[in-house]
Amino acid sequence: MRTIVLNNKIIEYDLKYNAKKNVNIRVKPDLTLKVSAPRWVLKGEIERILNEKSSWILENLEIQKQSKKDERSNILENGHSIWLLGEKYRLYFRSSDKNTVMIFDDQIFVCTKKPDDLEYSQKILKNWLKSYAETYFMDTLKKYQNKLINNGYKTPDFELQVREMKTRWGTCIPSKKKVTLNMALMYTPQKYMEYVALHELIHFQEIYHNDHFYGIFEEVMPDYKERQTKLNKEYARITK
Ligand SMILES: [Zn+2]
């Protein structure tokens, strides 16, 4: 291992010579920096290139460090990974003259007018997540509302509220025709979100979690038990 000082930090790197034409720098998931260079490049030249790319190197080392730390959690900060509908995306907070959120492949760019104001930038992301959730949850609820109706269970039209909840995935107040779903369902695979959607809709037929309730569940979603168990096992900490 060789070392170099970049922005007052001592960075170790592994240098290999090969037959390629250019100096190549990679940050590996195990937090090592790998440099490969043609045999004719002087050591001083490699150090100059590392210095030139120091901000890229340090940012990517930080990103790898964070993603190791939060394998499954959702930390809404630059460089962290979040799980949306069960898929992993990496977050990038970027300075912009317009507040917006964009997805490219498995990357989410939060374009923010105040990149140094974390709370402000997180609000932009959360607002985007919320409006995404409102459409996605409502589509799912409508789908299962129709399934219930097709199975002979009258289900009224209802109002949907999406919000962050500490202890529950969702609630239904039949008298107010109101379904509330936890925004954290955005982080789980779709089949779990569907389980919660149907659960709340069945409460329009039955308020209690009794045989009648689960009988309807069985009819409309035969694998509901597996979804219920896995959701609460794998994703319990999200609501904590
Ligand atoms: Zn319930």
Side-chain angles (χ1 to χ4, degrees), residues 132-190:
Y132 193 108
E134 279 164 351
T135 311
Y136 161 53
F137 293 176
M138 197 56 175
D139 285 351
T140 308
L141 284 160
K142 288 270 176 217
K143 186 173 122 187
Y144 281 92
Q145 181 188 30
N146 285 329
K147 286 194 185 208
L148 282 165
I149 291 168
N150 290 338
N151 280 271
Y153 301 106
K154 274 190 192 165
T155 306
D157 282 326
F158 52 86
E159 185 200 328
L160 167 67
Q161 189 189 23
V162 176
R163 60 183 184 86
E164 291 180 278
M165 296 158 94
K166 285 258 182 286
T167 57
R168 335 181 64 159
W169 291 112
T171 58
C172 177
I173 307 171
S175 60
K176 290 188 179 167
K177 295 195 176 78
K178 190 171 165 188
V179 172
T180 305
L181 293 179
N182 192 334
M183 202 164 94
L185 286 165
M186 278 296 291
Y187 305 137
T188 74
Q190 186 166 4

Side-chain angles (χ1 to χ4, degrees), residues 168 199-200 203 207 209 213:
R168 335 181 64 159
H199 181 120
E200 302 315 333
H203 277 309
I207 355 173
H209 300 127
F213 182 91

Side-chain angles (χ1 to χ4, degrees), residues 2-18:
R2 291 162 182 265
T3 56
I4 186 169
V5 177
L6 301 176
N7 284 16
N8 298 321
K9 284 186 188 132
I10 299 167
I11 305 291
E12 287 192 327
Y13 67 97
D14 189 28
L15 174 65
K16 279 205 172 69
Y17 290 104
N18 60 22

